[in-house]
Amino acid sequence: MTASWTLAEADDIAELVLDVPDKRHNVLSREVLGELDQMLTVLETRPLRGLVIRSGKPQGFAVGADVHEFRRVLDAARAAELTRAGQMVLTRLANLPYPSVAIIHGHCLGGGLELVLACSYRVACDDERTSLALPEVKLGIHPGFGGTIRLPALIGALPALSLMLGGRGLSARKARKLGLVDECVPQRHLEAAAHALLRDVPPKRRPPWYQGLLAAPFLRPYVGAFVQRRLKSKVECRHYPAPCRIVSLWARQASFEAEALSCAELLVTPVSRHLVHLFEISEEMKGRARAQAHGIRRIHVVGAGVMGADIAAWAVLKGFHVSLQDRAPEVLARAIKRAHALFAERLKGRAAEAARDRLMPDMRGGALPGADLVIEAIIENRDAKHALFAQIEAQVPARTIIATNTSSIPLDDLAAGLSVPGRLVGLHFFNPVAKMPLIEVIGGAVSDPAALGVMRSFAVALDRLPVDVKSSPGFLVNRALMPYLLEAVTLAEEGVALHDIDAAAVDFGMPMGPIALADTVGLDICLAVAQTLSAPLDLPVPDLLLRKVEAGHLGKKSGEGFYRYPRLRGFLSARAPSDPVIAERLIMRLVNEAARCLRLGVVADSDMVDIGLVYGTGFAPFRGGPLGYAEALGTGEVISRLTELAERYGPRFTPDPAWSQDGVLARRPLDP
């Protein structure tokens, strides 16, 4: 027995149980792998019929390598040593003189999945909590403990490459269908299924013959070239090199040593550093939020438009009971239909039926007295919201929290009409709710800290990242995003080609260009937010945006905005930005506003700025967020670029005092 592993034997079967002390989830740190190596020294000499490996954690098998160790690795040579060490331990496991079987429940991710790939067989728990994935690409690296070799050998090249390139999770049943696991059984049958495999010792799984054919030496280069072409239409390899490395390693039938060297090189790049840092911050935020129980079971959503309907549907999908209210029966009917479509897409059988049962249309608000949380998602009108809150407060018990999804109205203004103003908080979701991972938790001057804590915990229960934001014009995301979008409209007004504007942003690393983004959000919505923020932020609204909306050209939803729809896909990727100043103008306005938000205390620290704008606007994650990008440039360079832009294009580029000698950012070690 070691600190993390417990070994027991019965009837010639050994059982290794992984339970890392003082951790919510099992992680495969250097120490944990070293302890496994010690155990294998013992096991290699034992005359056994087989080995069972399982987790002692109720949360799952293992979530991979210890990410915190990544930041302590400063050079590729040291990273390669650690990767080789992990490979050697798992190779010893794979080479045991008797079969081994892994019992998988809950999360089995990254290095955890690589560990079970080294076993002879795998048995997975058939429930919704089980998820198997190799998400290393999300941290700027690729599997380094043999996964790039063992996974294709087990399930075939194309399925394996798809899993590694996407980093997505597989349910137990999907993993069984792919051949990733040998058995998929209810939890009560896991031990029996594992022992049956060791008793019968069936042939190890192999991919279908056609997958094996694709891996033939004479075909590999052609298959690899095909996958690389498909990949490069979605991923810019100079921004995110890991996916392209994965394909290259497979195409040239690389060795374990090549995998280790490649992973080590990626681990110490700025791309991986930034992605790991963002991951660490987000996990810390979720951990702090989980520390307080939310106690919410029943939610009442008022407003069944697109946003309200999607909030209600997502909450139901995550297990909550939701009543949805709207005055218009046709709007309510559309919302219920939309929710049922989401359930059918994400859930199967009884689970989908149970979700439908948890969603109740409620035109008259009869469910209000039993609600733990009421979420308002009506039109962005101060008077309408005041009237609604008065009605809600008269019907709900004292314990009920009232939340508003306002995107621009100060929270204190909305709370003023309540008899208990502290119960009102802001929960700002982003569209589309099912895809955007961020929720701004808005606190006003009188907001109850306990209610804000409940909302953070609730956001995590929705599988969303809660960022604390002070009530102020535009909050964080809209406030920082709007200057970026309006600069794009200004460029268009100056005659710069729309495609060149969008291509410049995409080339910088944004997920889509600002013109396409404005069309997607809706130009009427962009105009409304811009007009709301215009006075408090001294943010002039370009005439071109006004003219578009007056003409009814609202973007995708009207068939025409700046572009006409449908557009040809993939057009932007074929174009290069015509002028690097385009990207400079766009990005530096966003970066400058992000610094202003930090100076004014809209959020508590620079990490929250970066997290909010990466997950809320899509700011290039590989650059670490706008202030991470500024850190790479250095404060002096940021000031110099903004000053030059201000001289050429006007005072909207004037460097914020946050960058000055006495500013909040100057007190951080931004200069490299």
Side-chain angles (χ1 to χ4, degrees), residues 209-455:
W209 67 268
Y210 52 87
Q211 290 287 352
L213 180 62
L214 293 176
F218 69 95
L219 275 181
R220 272 188 190 243
Y222 300 101
V223 175
F226 169 78
V227 175
Q228 288 280 25
R229 284 195 300 272
R230 293 286 299 272
L231 179 65
K232 288 178 180 178
S233 68
K234 300 176 182 179
V235 176
E236 180 60 69
C237 291
R238 63 194 171 91
H239 294 161
Y240 299 98
C244 298
R245 290 281 191 95
I246 290 171
V247 179
S248 175
L249 286 170
W250 177 83
R252 56 192 175 91
Q253 205 166 356
S255 63
F256 284 95
E257 175 66 9
E259 179 196 72
L261 291 173
S262 175
C263 187
E265 290 170 4
L266 292 171
L267 187 61
V268 296
T269 60
V271 172
S272 181
R273 295 290 189 202
H274 285 314
L275 294 177
V276 168
H277 182 56
L278 291 170
F279 174 79
E280 284 185 310
I281 298 166
S282 63
E283 289 301 299
E284 288 172 10
M285 291 167 63
K286 290 176 184 177
R288 289 196 298 268
R290 287 192 192 100
Q292 177 173 346
H294 58 74
I296 292 170
R297 293 183 63 252
R298 297 189 177 276
I299 303 164
H300 186 80
V301 178
V302 185
V306 171
M307 182 59 75
D310 287 357
I311 292 170
W314 188 255
V316 169
L317 195 73
K318 293 301 173 182
F320 294 93
H321 291 263
V322 180
S323 46
L324 179 60
Q325 181 179 356
D326 199 282
R327 292 181 298 181
E330 65 278 7
V331 172
L332 198 53
R334 281 198 301 269
I336 298 298
K337 183 178 179 181
R338 184 182 178 93
H340 286 184
L342 177 69
F343 305 153
E345 176 189 345
R346 300 291 185 101
L347 304 171
K348 302 297 179 186
R350 292 181 181 177
E353 183 180 346
R356 290 191 292 270
D357 290 343
R358 290 196 300 272
L359 178 61
M360 181 180 74
D362 182 14
M363 283 189 63
R364 299 182 184 277
L368 275 168
D372 303 305
L373 169 67
V374 178
I375 301 175
E376 168 272 310
I378 65 170
I379 59 172
E380 197 74 345
N381 179 282
R382 184 180 278 98
D383 293 338
K385 292 180 189 290
H386 275 153
L388 176 62
F389 291 148
Q391 295 173 22
I392 291 171
E393 193 174 33
Q395 298 181 64
V396 298
R399 62 177 171 79
T400 302
I401 296 173
I402 302 173
T404 174
N405 187 52
T406 181
S407 59
S408 57
I409 303 174
L411 200 67
D412 295 331
D413 289 357
L414 296 177
L418 292 172
S419 60
V420 185
R423 76 194 307 182
L424 182 69
V425 298
L427 270 188
H428 186 210
F429 291 79
F430 295 89
N431 195 24
V433 173
K435 293 183 179 179
M436 295 298 287
L438 188 79
I439 294 178
E440 288 180 319
V441 178
I442 316 297
V446 297
S447 297
D448 182 355
L452 293 171
V454 168
M455 289 300 94

